Amino acid sequence: HVQLVESGGGSVQSGGSLRLSCAGSGHQYQRVCMAWFRQGSGEGREAVAALDTGDVTITYADNLKERVIVSISKDQARATLDLQMIDLEPSDTGTYYCATRPGRCVERMNHLWYNYWGQGTQVTVS
């Protein structure tokens, strides 16, 4: 079965940076869509960035694209999606989730489109 495990969250000072990793395993398909979402307290789930492992196209949220980079590494057993974010602000505080869906990315920035999720990792910026 598909499993996503996020790591790298924690407390960060304003202006700092973070790096999150999402290790995905159990994919039966060569091509998958993987994404990072985040959710602040009392807010909806917001897309950060999404990547299609087939053509390696990346989409960033407009409000974050100046501060975020994602990258992918793959082998036969696992795909790892890394997220780097700089110039962190208190508004970046929230739980960051990794998501995936087999096949090519279609509605890649829509959290309702994904069918596999990680448990989330907390990021607190102060």
Side-chain angles (χ1 to χ4, degrees), residues 39-75:
Q39 188 166 16
S41 179
E43 299 178 1
R45 196 158 293 191
E46 174 191 24
V48 176
L51 181 149
D52 187 317
T53 65
D55 55 19
V56 202
T57 54
I58 302 171
T59 301
Y60 294 101
D62 286 340
N63 61 323
L64 295 173
K65 60 185 177 183
E66 300 296 327
R67 301 192 290 120
V68 171
I69 294 176
V70 294
S71 58
I72 188 82
S73 59
K74 289 176 59 182
D75 57 32

PDB file of all heavy atoms in Angstrom, residues 39-75:
ATOM      1  N   GLN A  39      -1.774  23.625   6.165  1.00  0.00           N
ATOM      2  CA  GLN A  39      -3.030  24.027   6.790  1.00  0.00           C
ATOM      3  C   GLN A  39      -2.739  24.721   8.102  1.00  0.00           C
ATOM      4  O   GLN A  39      -2.151  24.120   9.012  1.00  0.00           O
ATOM      5  CB  GLN A  39      -3.917  22.800   7.018  1.00  0.00           C
ATOM      6  CG  GLN A  39      -5.310  23.125   7.494  1.00  0.00           C
ATOM      7  CD  GLN A  39      -6.244  21.936   7.375  1.00  0.00           C
ATOM      8  OE1 GLN A  39      -5.814  20.796   7.213  1.00  0.00           O
ATOM      9  NE2 GLN A  39      -7.537  22.190   7.429  1.00  0.00           N
ATOM     10  N   GLY A  40      -3.118  25.992   8.178  1.00  0.00           N
ATOM     11  CA  GLY A  40      -2.989  26.732   9.421  1.00  0.00           C
ATOM     12  C   GLY A  40      -4.161  26.447  10.329  1.00  0.00           C
ATOM     13  O   GLY A  40      -5.175  25.883   9.904  1.00  0.00           O
ATOM     14  N   SER A  41      -4.045  26.827  11.564  1.00  0.00           N
ATOM     15  CA  SER A  41      -5.100  26.596  12.538  1.00  0.00           C
ATOM     16  C   SER A  41      -6.376  27.304  12.106  1.00  0.00           C
ATOM     17  O   SER A  41      -6.376  28.514  11.856  1.00  0.00           O
ATOM     18  CB  SER A  41      -4.652  27.100  13.917  1.00  0.00           C
ATOM     19  OG  SER A  41      -5.665  26.920  14.870  1.00  0.00           O
ATOM     20  N   GLY A  42      -7.457  26.567  11.982  1.00  0.00           N
ATOM     21  CA  GLY A  42      -8.736  27.144  11.603  1.00  0.00           C
ATOM     22  C   GLY A  42      -8.851  27.511  10.134  1.00  0.00           C
ATOM     23  O   GLY A  42      -9.823  28.167   9.739  1.00  0.00           O
ATOM     24  N   GLU A  43      -7.900  27.077   9.338  1.00  0.00           N
ATOM     25  CA  GLU A  43      -7.921  27.426   7.916  1.00  0.00           C
ATOM     26  C   GLU A  43      -8.078  26.181   7.056  1.00  0.00           C
ATOM     27  O   GLU A  43      -7.944  25.057   7.535  1.00  0.00           O
ATOM     28  CB  GLU A  43      -6.626  28.161   7.544  1.00  0.00           C
ATOM     29  CG  GLU A  43      -6.425  29.458   8.305  1.00  0.00           C
ATOM     30  CD  GLU A  43      -5.104  30.140   7.960  1.00  0.00           C
ATOM     31  OE1 GLU A  43      -4.370  29.608   7.122  1.00  0.00           O
ATOM     32  OE2 GLU A  43      -4.835  31.197   8.542  1.00  0.00           O
ATOM     33  N   GLY A  44      -8.340  26.411   5.797  1.00  0.00           N
ATOM     34  CA  GLY A  44      -8.445  25.302   4.864  1.00  0.00           C
ATOM     35  C   GLY A  44      -7.078  24.829   4.417  1.00  0.00           C
ATOM     36  O   GLY A  44      -6.058  25.443   4.721  1.00  0.00           O
ATOM     37  N   ARG A  45      -7.071  23.736   3.695  1.00  0.00           N
ATOM     38  CA  ARG A  45      -5.811  23.170   3.214  1.00  0.00           C
ATOM     39  C   ARG A  45      -5.389  23.901   1.933  1.00  0.00           C
ATOM     40  O   ARG A  45      -6.144  23.983   0.978  1.00  0.00           O
ATOM     41  CB  ARG A  45      -5.975  21.677   2.966  1.00  0.00           C
ATOM     42  CG  ARG A  45      -4.663  20.936   2.850  1.00  0.00           C
ATOM     43  CD  ARG A  45      -4.827  19.470   3.142  1.00  0.00           C
ATOM     44  NE  ARG A  45      -5.178  19.233   4.535  1.00  0.00           N
ATOM     45  CZ  ARG A  45      -5.173  18.022   5.098  1.00  0.00           C
ATOM     46  NH1 ARG A  45      -4.842  16.950   4.374  1.00  0.00           N
ATOM     47  NH2 ARG A  45      -5.521  17.875   6.365  1.00  0.00           N
ATOM     48  N   GLU A  46      -4.164  24.396   1.948  1.00  0.00           N
ATOM     49  CA  GLU A  46      -3.649  25.250   0.872  1.00  0.00           C
ATOM     50  C   GLU A  46      -2.523  24.543   0.129  1.00  0.00           C
ATOM     51  O   GLU A  46      -1.618  23.987   0.756  1.00  0.00           O
ATOM     52  CB  GLU A  46      -3.132  26.552   1.489  1.00  0.00           C
ATOM     53  CG  GLU A  46      -2.438  27.489   0.539  1.00  0.00           C
ATOM     54  CD  GLU A  46      -1.724  28.623   1.266  1.00  0.00           C
ATOM     55  OE1 GLU A  46      -1.374  28.471   2.445  1.00  0.00           O
ATOM     56  OE2 GLU A  46      -1.526  29.672   0.616  1.00  0.00           O
ATOM     57  N   ALA A  47      -2.553  24.608  -1.187  1.00  0.00           N
ATOM     58  CA  ALA A  47      -1.481  24.011  -1.982  1.00  0.00           C
ATOM     59  C   ALA A  47      -0.215  24.846  -1.878  1.00  0.00           C
ATOM     60  O   ALA A  47      -0.275  26.076  -1.890  1.00  0.00           O
ATOM     61  CB  ALA A  47      -1.908  23.877  -3.428  1.00  0.00           C
ATOM     62  N   VAL A  48       0.899  24.166  -1.785  1.00  0.00           N
ATOM     63  CA  VAL A  48       2.210  24.826  -1.784  1.00  0.00           C
ATOM     64  C   VAL A  48       2.887  24.600  -3.134  1.00  0.00           C
ATOM     65  O   VAL A  48       3.298  25.538  -3.806  1.00  0.00           O
ATOM     66  CB  VAL A  48       3.087  24.302  -0.639  1.00  0.00           C
ATOM     67  CG1 VAL A  48       4.478  24.922  -0.701  1.00  0.00           C
ATOM     68  CG2 VAL A  48       2.432  24.562   0.719  1.00  0.00           C
ATOM     69  N   ALA A  49       3.006  23.338  -3.526  1.00  0.00           N
ATOM     70  CA  ALA A  49       3.632  23.002  -4.800  1.00  0.00           C
ATOM     71  C   ALA A  49       3.299  21.562  -5.146  1.00  0.00           C
ATOM     72  O   ALA A  49       3.034  20.745  -4.268  1.00  0.00           O
ATOM     73  CB  ALA A  49       5.148  23.187  -4.737  1.00  0.00           C
ATOM     74  N   ALA A  50       3.322  21.269  -6.445  1.00  0.00           N
ATOM     75  CA  ALA A  50       3.038  19.915  -6.907  1.00  0.00           C
ATOM     76  C   ALA A  50       3.968  19.565  -8.050  1.00  0.00           C
ATOM     77  O   ALA A  50       4.339  20.431  -8.850  1.00  0.00           O
ATOM     78  CB  ALA A  50       1.584  19.789  -7.343  1.00  0.00           C
ATOM     79  N   LEU A  51       4.303  18.286  -8.130  1.00  0.00           N
ATOM     80  CA  LEU A  51       5.263  17.817  -9.133  1.00  0.00           C
ATOM     81  C   LEU A  51       4.772  16.532  -9.768  1.00  0.00           C
ATOM     82  O   LEU A  51       4.299  15.627  -9.090  1.00  0.00           O
ATOM     83  CB  LEU A  51       6.621  17.596  -8.457  1.00  0.00           C
ATOM     84  CG  LEU A  51       7.792  17.129  -9.319  1.00  0.00           C
ATOM     85  CD1 LEU A  51       9.112  17.671  -8.757  1.00  0.00           C
ATOM     86  CD2 LEU A  51       7.877  15.611  -9.414  1.00  0.00           C
ATOM     87  N   ASP A  52       4.894  16.472 -11.074  1.00  0.00           N
ATOM     88  CA  ASP A  52       4.569  15.260 -11.841  1.00  0.00           C
ATOM     89  C   ASP A  52       5.869  14.509 -12.079  1.00  0.00           C
ATOM     90  O   ASP A  52       6.775  15.033 -12.728  1.00  0.00           O
ATOM     91  CB  ASP A  52       3.920  15.679 -13.160  1.00  0.00           C
ATOM     92  CG  ASP A  52       3.395  14.508 -13.966  1.00  0.00           C
ATOM     93  OD1 ASP A  52       4.098  13.476 -14.054  1.00  0.00           O
ATOM     94  OD2 ASP A  52       2.306  14.624 -14.534  1.00  0.00           O
ATOM     95  N   THR A  53       5.967  13.289 -11.553  1.00  0.00           N
ATOM     96  CA  THR A  53       7.225  12.560 -11.683  1.00  0.00           C
ATOM     97  C   THR A  53       7.467  12.076 -13.101  1.00  0.00           C
ATOM     98  O   THR A  53       8.581  11.677 -13.425  1.00  0.00           O
ATOM     99  CB  THR A  53       7.265  11.355 -10.730  1.00  0.00           C
ATOM    100  OG1 THR A  53       6.259  10.418 -11.105  1.00  0.00           O
ATOM    101  CG2 THR A  53       7.066  11.786  -9.289  1.00  0.00           C
ATOM    102  N   GLY A  54       6.447  12.095 -13.939  1.00  0.00           N
ATOM    103  CA  GLY A  54       6.633  11.655 -15.316  1.00  0.00           C
ATOM    104  C   GLY A  54       7.375  12.679 -16.158  1.00  0.00           C
ATOM    105  O   GLY A  54       8.412  12.362 -16.758  1.00  0.00           O
ATOM    106  N   ASP A  55       6.877  13.898 -16.233  1.00  0.00           N
ATOM    107  CA  ASP A  55       7.535  14.938 -17.025  1.00  0.00           C
ATOM    108  C   ASP A  55       8.283  15.947 -16.157  1.00  0.00           C
ATOM    109  O   ASP A  55       8.864  16.899 -16.665  1.00  0.00           O
ATOM    110  CB  ASP A  55       6.531  15.663 -17.912  1.00  0.00           C
ATOM    111  CG  ASP A  55       5.358  16.253 -17.130  1.00  0.00           C
ATOM    112  OD1 ASP A  55       5.484  16.424 -15.893  1.00  0.00           O
ATOM    113  OD2 ASP A  55       4.315  16.530 -17.748  1.00  0.00           O
ATOM    114  N   VAL A  56       8.234  15.721 -14.828  1.00  0.00           N
ATOM    115  CA  VAL A  56       8.935  16.572 -13.840  1.00  0.00           C
ATOM    116  C   VAL A  56       8.523  18.031 -13.972  1.00  0.00           C
ATOM    117  O   VAL A  56       9.345  18.939 -13.787  1.00  0.00           O
ATOM    118  CB  VAL A  56      10.472  16.414 -13.923  1.00  0.00           C
ATOM    119  CG1 VAL A  56      11.115  16.848 -12.590  1.00  0.00           C
ATOM    120  CG2 VAL A  56      10.869  14.978 -14.193  1.00  0.00           C
ATOM    121  N   THR A  57       7.269  18.265 -14.300  1.00  0.00           N
ATOM    122  CA  THR A  57       6.764  19.633 -14.284  1.00  0.00           C
ATOM    123  C   THR A  57       6.370  19.978 -12.857  1.00  0.00           C
ATOM    124  O   THR A  57       5.882  19.138 -12.101  1.00  0.00           O
ATOM    125  CB  THR A  57       5.543  19.794 -15.191  1.00  0.00           C
ATOM    126  OG1 THR A  57       4.557  18.820 -14.838  1.00  0.00           O
ATOM    127  CG2 THR A  57       5.926  19.617 -16.649  1.00  0.00           C
ATOM    128  N   ILE A  58       6.597  21.219 -12.477  1.00  0.00           N
ATOM    129  CA  ILE A  58       6.331  21.679 -11.124  1.00  0.00           C
ATOM    130  C   ILE A  58       5.416  22.891 -11.182  1.00  0.00           C
ATOM    131  O   ILE A  58       5.620  23.786 -12.005  1.00  0.00           O
ATOM    132  CB  ILE A  58       7.633  22.069 -10.396  1.00  0.00           C
ATOM    133  CG1 ILE A  58       8.601  20.880 -10.356  1.00  0.00           C
ATOM    134  CG2 ILE A  58       7.322  22.547  -8.968  1.00  0.00           C
ATOM    135  CD1 ILE A  58       9.978  21.229  -9.848  1.00  0.00           C
ATOM    136  N   THR A  59       4.437  22.902 -10.311  1.00  0.00           N
ATOM    137  CA  THR A  59       3.562  24.056 -10.163  1.00  0.00           C
ATOM    138  C   THR A  59       3.695  24.570  -8.739  1.00  0.00           C
ATOM    139  O   THR A  59       3.620  23.789  -7.787  1.00  0.00           O
ATOM    140  CB  THR A  59       2.094  23.682 -10.439  1.00  0.00           C
ATOM    141  OG1 THR A  59       1.983  23.162 -11.762  1.00  0.00           O
ATOM    142  CG2 THR A  59       1.197  24.902 -10.305  1.00  0.00           C
ATOM    143  N   TYR A  60       3.886  25.861  -8.608  1.00  0.00           N
ATOM    144  CA  TYR A  60       3.970  26.498  -7.296  1.00  0.00           C
ATOM    145  C   TYR A  60       2.761  27.389  -7.067  1.00  0.00           C
ATOM    146  O   TYR A  60       2.242  27.992  -8.008  1.00  0.00           O
ATOM    147  CB  TYR A  60       5.233  27.357  -7.190  1.00  0.00           C
ATOM    148  CG  TYR A  60       6.528  26.578  -7.228  1.00  0.00           C
ATOM    149  CD1 TYR A  60       7.284  26.494  -8.391  1.00  0.00           C
ATOM    150  CD2 TYR A  60       6.998  25.942  -6.085  1.00  0.00           C
ATOM    151  CE1 TYR A  60       8.477  25.782  -8.428  1.00  0.00           C
ATOM    152  CE2 TYR A  60       8.190  25.229  -6.112  1.00  0.00           C
ATOM    153  CZ  TYR A  60       8.920  25.156  -7.283  1.00  0.00           C
ATOM    154  OH  TYR A  60      10.100  24.449  -7.300  1.00  0.00           O
ATOM    155  N   ALA A  61       2.335  27.479  -5.827  1.00  0.00           N
ATOM    156  CA  ALA A  61       1.296  28.440  -5.486  1.00  0.00           C
ATOM    157  C   ALA A  61       1.811  29.844  -5.771  1.00  0.00           C
ATOM    158  O   ALA A  61       2.967  30.171  -5.464  1.00  0.00           O
ATOM    159  CB  ALA A  61       0.925  28.298  -4.009  1.00  0.00           C
ATOM    160  N   ASP A  62       0.965  30.675  -6.358  1.00  0.00           N
ATOM    161  CA  ASP A  62       1.394  32.019  -6.753  1.00  0.00           C
ATOM    162  C   ASP A  62       1.943  32.820  -5.575  1.00  0.00           C
ATOM    163  O   ASP A  62       2.911  33.572  -5.719  1.00  0.00           O
ATOM    164  CB  ASP A  62       0.216  32.771  -7.379  1.00  0.00           C
ATOM    165  CG  ASP A  62      -0.108  32.266  -8.773  1.00  0.00           C
ATOM    166  OD1 ASP A  62       0.767  31.631  -9.392  1.00  0.00           O
ATOM    167  OD2 ASP A  62      -1.234  32.509  -9.238  1.00  0.00           O
ATOM    168  N   ASN A  63       1.338  32.661  -4.429  1.00  0.00           N
ATOM    169  CA  ASN A  63       1.752  33.462  -3.266  1.00  0.00           C
ATOM    170  C   ASN A  63       3.020  32.923  -2.601  1.00  0.00           C
ATOM    171  O   ASN A  63       3.532  33.551  -1.670  1.00  0.00           O
ATOM    172  CB  ASN A  63       0.622  33.538  -2.243  1.00  0.00           C
ATOM    173  CG  ASN A  63       0.229  32.172  -1.706  1.00  0.00           C
ATOM    174  OD1 ASN A  63       0.229  31.188  -2.444  1.00  0.00           O
ATOM    175  ND2 ASN A  63      -0.125  32.092  -0.436  1.00  0.00           N
ATOM    176  N   LEU A  64       3.529  31.798  -3.084  1.00  0.00           N
ATOM    177  CA  LEU A  64       4.709  31.205  -2.445  1.00  0.00           C
ATOM    178  C   LEU A  64       5.861  30.983  -3.412  1.00  0.00           C
ATOM    179  O   LEU A  64       6.975  30.645  -2.979  1.00  0.00           O
ATOM    180  CB  LEU A  64       4.327  29.854  -1.816  1.00  0.00           C
ATOM    181  CG  LEU A  64       3.325  29.911  -0.663  1.00  0.00           C
ATOM    182  CD1 LEU A  64       2.911  28.497  -0.266  1.00  0.00           C
ATOM    183  CD2 LEU A  64       3.912  30.644   0.526  1.00  0.00           C
ATOM    184  N   LYS A  65       5.653  31.155  -4.690  1.00  0.00           N
ATOM    185  CA  LYS A  65       6.638  30.733  -5.685  1.00  0.00           C
ATOM    186  C   LYS A  65       7.968  31.459  -5.574  1.00  0.00           C
ATOM    187  O   LYS A  65       8.985  30.947  -6.071  1.00  0.00           O
ATOM    188  CB  LYS A  65       6.073  30.879  -7.092  1.00  0.00           C
ATOM    189  CG  LYS A  65       5.668  32.302  -7.463  1.00  0.00           C
ATOM    190  CD  LYS A  65       5.005  32.294  -8.825  1.00  0.00           C
ATOM    191  CE  LYS A  65       4.517  33.672  -9.219  1.00  0.00           C
ATOM    192  NZ  LYS A  65       3.808  33.651 -10.535  1.00  0.00           N
ATOM    193  N   GLU A  66       7.984  32.628  -4.944  1.00  0.00           N
ATOM    194  CA  GLU A  66       9.254  33.335  -4.789  1.00  0.00           C
ATOM    195  C   GLU A  66      10.087  32.753  -3.644  1.00  0.00           C
ATOM    196  O   GLU A  66      11.283  33.077  -3.525  1.00  0.00           O
ATOM    197  CB  GLU A  66       8.992  34.817  -4.509  1.00  0.00           C
ATOM    198  CG  GLU A  66       8.232  35.527  -5.609  1.00  0.00           C
ATOM    199  CD  GLU A  66       8.999  35.582  -6.909  1.00  0.00           C
ATOM    200  OE1 GLU A  66      10.255  35.663  -6.859  1.00  0.00           O
ATOM    201  OE2 GLU A  66       8.373  35.528  -7.977  1.00  0.00           O
ATOM    202  N   ARG A  67       9.474  31.926  -2.813  1.00  0.00           N
ATOM    203  CA  ARG A  67      10.167  31.459  -1.606  1.00  0.00           C
ATOM    204  C   ARG A  67      10.267  29.942  -1.493  1.00  0.00           C
ATOM    205  O   ARG A  67      10.792  29.436  -0.499  1.00  0.00           O
ATOM    206  CB  ARG A  67       9.434  31.985  -0.356  1.00  0.00           C
ATOM    207  CG  ARG A  67       9.328  33.506  -0.286  1.00  0.00           C
ATOM    208  CD  ARG A  67       8.869  33.978   1.077  1.00  0.00           C
ATOM    209  NE  ARG A  67       7.470  33.653   1.345  1.00  0.00           N
ATOM    210  CZ  ARG A  67       7.063  32.899   2.351  1.00  0.00           C
ATOM    211  NH1 ARG A  67       7.940  32.355   3.180  1.00  0.00           N
ATOM    212  NH2 ARG A  67       5.772  32.672   2.548  1.00  0.00           N
ATOM    213  N   VAL A  68       9.800  29.225  -2.475  1.00  0.00           N
ATOM    214  CA  VAL A  68       9.697  27.770  -2.357  1.00  0.00           C
ATOM    215  C   VAL A  68      10.367  27.083  -3.547  1.00  0.00           C
ATOM    216  O   VAL A  68      10.245  27.540  -4.687  1.00  0.00           O
ATOM    217  CB  VAL A  68       8.216  27.335  -2.286  1.00  0.00           C
ATOM    218  CG1 VAL A  68       8.090  25.829  -2.390  1.00  0.00           C
ATOM    219  CG2 VAL A  68       7.581  27.825  -0.995  1.00  0.00           C
ATOM    220  N   ILE A  69      11.043  25.986  -3.251  1.00  0.00           N
ATOM    221  CA  ILE A  69      11.575  25.113  -4.284  1.00  0.00           C
ATOM    222  C   ILE A  69      11.270  23.669  -3.881  1.00  0.00           C
ATOM    223  O   ILE A  69      11.460  23.301  -2.718  1.00  0.00           O
ATOM    224  CB  ILE A  69      13.092  25.277  -4.456  1.00  0.00           C
ATOM    225  CG1 ILE A  69      13.428  26.672  -4.987  1.00  0.00           C
ATOM    226  CG2 ILE A  69      13.650  24.226  -5.419  1.00  0.00           C
ATOM    227  CD1 ILE A  69      14.920  26.918  -5.080  1.00  0.00           C
ATOM    228  N   VAL A  70      10.813  22.864  -4.833  1.00  0.00           N
ATOM    229  CA  VAL A  70      10.647  21.438  -4.584  1.00  0.00           C
ATOM    230  C   VAL A  70      11.550  20.665  -5.531  1.00  0.00           C
ATOM    231  O   VAL A  70      11.874  21.124  -6.626  1.00  0.00           O
ATOM    232  CB  VAL A  70       9.191  20.952  -4.741  1.00  0.00           C
ATOM    233  CG1 VAL A  70       8.299  21.572  -3.681  1.00  0.00           C
ATOM    234  CG2 VAL A  70       8.669  21.214  -6.133  1.00  0.00           C
ATOM    235  N   SER A  71      11.953  19.496  -5.079  1.00  0.00           N
ATOM    236  CA  SER A  71      12.784  18.623  -5.895  1.00  0.00           C
ATOM    237  C   SER A  71      12.401  17.188  -5.604  1.00  0.00           C
ATOM    238  O   SER A  71      11.845  16.876  -4.541  1.00  0.00           O
ATOM    239  CB  SER A  71      14.265  18.863  -5.615  1.00  0.00           C
ATOM    240  OG  SER A  71      14.556  18.656  -4.237  1.00  0.00           O
ATOM    241  N   ILE A  72      12.712  16.300  -6.543  1.00  0.00           N
ATOM    242  CA  ILE A  72      12.317  14.906  -6.435  1.00  0.00           C
ATOM    243  C   ILE A  72      13.530  14.013  -6.616  1.00  0.00           C
ATOM    244  O   ILE A  72      14.416  14.301  -7.433  1.00  0.00           O
ATOM    245  CB  ILE A  72      11.233  14.561  -7.487  1.00  0.00           C
ATOM    246  CG1 ILE A  72      10.668  13.165  -7.274  1.00  0.00           C
ATOM    247  CG2 ILE A  72      11.783  14.723  -8.899  1.00  0.00           C
ATOM    248  CD1 ILE A  72       9.606  13.094  -6.220  1.00  0.00           C
ATOM    249  N   SER A  73      13.574  12.950  -5.858  1.00  0.00           N
ATOM    250  CA  SER A  73      14.554  11.897  -6.084  1.00  0.00           C
ATOM    251  C   SER A  73      13.800  10.578  -6.068  1.00  0.00           C
ATOM    252  O   SER A  73      12.854  10.403  -5.302  1.00  0.00           O
ATOM    253  CB  SER A  73      15.653  11.911  -5.020  1.00  0.00           C
ATOM    254  OG  SER A  73      15.100  11.745  -3.725  1.00  0.00           O
ATOM    255  N   LYS A  74      14.210   9.668  -6.937  1.00  0.00           N
ATOM    256  CA  LYS A  74      13.468   8.425  -7.094  1.00  0.00           C
ATOM    257  C   LYS A  74      14.402   7.239  -7.244  1.00  0.00           C
ATOM    258  O   LYS A  74      15.487   7.347  -7.790  1.00  0.00           O
ATOM    259  CB  LYS A  74      12.590   8.483  -8.364  1.00  0.00           C
ATOM    260  CG  LYS A  74      11.409   9.406  -8.308  1.00  0.00           C
ATOM    261  CD  LYS A  74      10.695   9.419  -9.663  1.00  0.00           C
ATOM    262  CE  LYS A  74      10.221   8.040 -10.063  1.00  0.00           C
ATOM    263  NZ  LYS A  74       9.565   8.040 -11.384  1.00  0.00           N
ATOM    264  N   ASP A  75      13.928   6.101  -6.755  1.00  0.00           N
ATOM    265  CA  ASP A  75      14.509   4.835  -7.134  1.00  0.00           C
ATOM    266  C   ASP A  75      13.339   3.885  -7.343  1.00  0.00           C
ATOM    267  O   ASP A  75      12.184   4.303  -7.336  1.00  0.00           O
ATOM    268  CB  ASP A  75      15.510   4.319  -6.101  1.00  0.00           C
ATOM    269  CG  ASP A  75      14.898   4.171  -4.707  1.00  0.00           C
ATOM    270  OD1 ASP A  75      13.682   3.861  -4.605  1.00  0.00           O
ATOM    271  OD2 ASP A  75      15.624   4.355  -3.715  1.00  0.00           O
TER     272      ASP A  75
END
